[in-house]
Amino acid sequence: MCELLGMSANVPTDICFSFAGLMRRGGGIGPHRDGWGVAFYEGKGVRCFHDPNPCHDSAIAKLVESYPIKSQNVICHIRQANVGGVSLANTHPFTRELWGQYWAFAHNGQLANFDSTKGPFRPVGDTDSEAVFCHLLNTLSQHYEQPPDTSDLIQTLSQACQPLLEHGVCNIMLSNGDWLFTLCTSKLHWITRRAPFGAAHLSDVEVSIDFTEHTTSADIVTVIATEPLTNNEQWNACQRGEWRLWQAGETRMSGSIKR
Amino acid sequence: MCELLGMSANVPTDICFSFAGLMRRGGGIGPHRDGWGVAFYEGKGVRCFHDPNPCHDSAIAKLVESYPIKSQNVICHIRQANVGGVSLANTHPFTRELWGQYWAFAHNGQLANFDSTKGPFRPVGDTDSEAVFCHLLNTLSQHYEQPPDTSDLIQTLSQACQPLLEHGVCNIMLSNGDWLFTLCTSKLHWITRRAPFGAAHLSDVEVSIDFTEHTTSADIVTVIATEPLTNNEQWNACQRGEWRLWQAGETRMSGSIKR
């Protein structure tokens, strides 16, 4: 299984602390040796780093860990390949442009016999994950020529997720830079940090941070991850079928998809 | 004006030497302070680095200069903004997916009153350059549902470039990972290096390289740049309107567009 890490914040925030925990699982203490990637939104732009090599000894991962890139929406993924070989083309997050917006997507799980919907978006690599991403964007582009109201969009999106449940495990993160959509079909945890901030300690490596030194009292930052990344905080577990739309660090909409 | 740098090679080759020369022009000795970016193809995947900050003091540029990423097709760009503010969304190269292939594009020049063709590809930022890229991809996607023969594709592409000449200066680099297309309307130079290899010395910084130490006798590597990057080699100047299709380090097709 792969691991996902996402962030939604109301101010541009770096993800160095959480990334440091996750990358220890990338071929270091974990089995996820098959590449990693991260997408940071900055304004309408998105900055991606991809590496098909294990992240625990990646020069690019070291840069991302040490160079504080500030963003309000981040999607990160470390991979243990099941469907699709180890290659740059198969390394998440995947990105596409729709309606003049960049969309980024990462997936944890495995889908059997899933073919993407036909449409303008086609997979470049051969993962089930990229086929899911293309299915979602093809569905949205077939429904709307222009970006619709977010509530309409999310209704269409959650309906497009429904058939995925019949094909296997599908924990996903999807963003258009304005919001972050998460779907849990097996495992996903989240924590929202806000004032009064405290200290946090990573589970995977001897690193602590005192968020009071890095935040203002107005900051709201939610971190979403496959497994909790810290061992001294209370993380929330998503239910099976639960989706959430995160914006500025808060849940703006949520719902449930049943098989 | 911005500066372009491209590479086409018959074996995966790093671009560290040429990049070192180019990045000295990125706010160091040159006026190109408004960001830089590079796209490296690896198989069907593409790895991009973008930074809206000057490249001569960019941590990401230092990584790219020191970490030899090997590729057969590379597009690099340093920016002096004219149309469109300094932001990540306006930083070249731009990428899109068409026919299950990643396409990358960078532009040097300035086009007056150029609006992109309508179609599925829409600009995210507000540069004339990204509008040109969307115009080219919309034209190709309107002509072909599947990737056509390269000769048909290049004919359509060069015809789609024709109206650009009426709007201003448009030196471009476009790649689908299989080949690199260049168009010169004002300034573009190239050099093909092959056995017997020799030494080269950068114009902008005291750095030399002896290519015999880094190549085999079968290697063919073409570097294309706005201005020659070395001062001890003979670079070829492209003519106005001249386009070339580079593949595996060689010109596979060429032609000319007249206004």
Side-chain angles (χ1 to χ4, degrees), chain B residues 112-131:
Chain B
N113 306 315
F114 182 78
D115 290 320
S116 180
T117 321
K118 292 220 183 309
F121 297 95
R122 300 185 204 173
V124 174
D126 49 12
T127 61
D128 50 352
S129 310
E130 195 184 8

Side-chain angles (χ1 to χ4, degrees), chain A residues 1-7 22 25 74-77 106-109 169-174 180-191 222-229 234-246 255:
Chain A
M1 291 286 279
C2 310
E3 294 209 26
L4 291 168
L5 167 63
M7 188 187 74
L22 187 74
R25 299 183 185 172
V74 178
I75 293 177
C76 182
H77 182 270
H107 167 230
N108 154 321
V169 175
C170 194
N171 304 297
I172 68 178
M173 294 189 174
L174 174 72
L180 174 68
F181 176 86
T182 57
L183 171 67
C184 169
T185 75
S186 68
K187 199 189 287 184
L188 208 55
H189 294 81
W190 59 272
I191 187 168
T222 292
V223 175
I224 308 119
T226 300
E227 299 278 6
L229 290 165
Q234 189 63 45
W235 290 63
N236 305 282
C238 291
Q239 303 300 307
R240 285 182 184 225
E242 180 180 333
W243 61 261
R244 284 174 181 260
L245 187 80
W246 304 93

Side-chain angles (χ1 to χ4, degrees), chain B residues 10 14 25 32 34 41 52 105-106 122 132 150 163 189 196 206 214 226-227 233 236 238-239 249:
Chain B
N10 68 343
D14 77 68
R25 300 182 185 173
H32 313 91
D34 301 327
Y41 282 92
F105 174 88
R122 300 185 204 173
V132 169
T150 304
H189 294 80
E206 282 292 325
H214 301 273
T226 301
E227 297 278 6
E233 298 176 299
N236 305 282
C238 291
Q239 303 300 307

Side-chain angles (χ1 to χ4, degrees), chain A residues 44 47 50 122 124 145, chain B residues 44 47 50 122 124 145:
Chain A
K44 298 172 76 178
R47 185 199 297 275
H50 288 112
R122 301 185 203 173
V124 174
E145 282 218 354
Chain B
K44 299 172 74 177
R47 186 199 296 276
H50 289 111
R122 300 185 204 173
V124 174
E145 281 218 356

Side-chain angles (χ1 to χ4, degrees), chain A residues 210-222:
Chain A
D210 184 352
F211 288 114
T212 55
E213 297 169 9
H214 301 274
T215 51
T216 73
S217 61
D219 293 7
I220 302 171
V221 181
T222 292

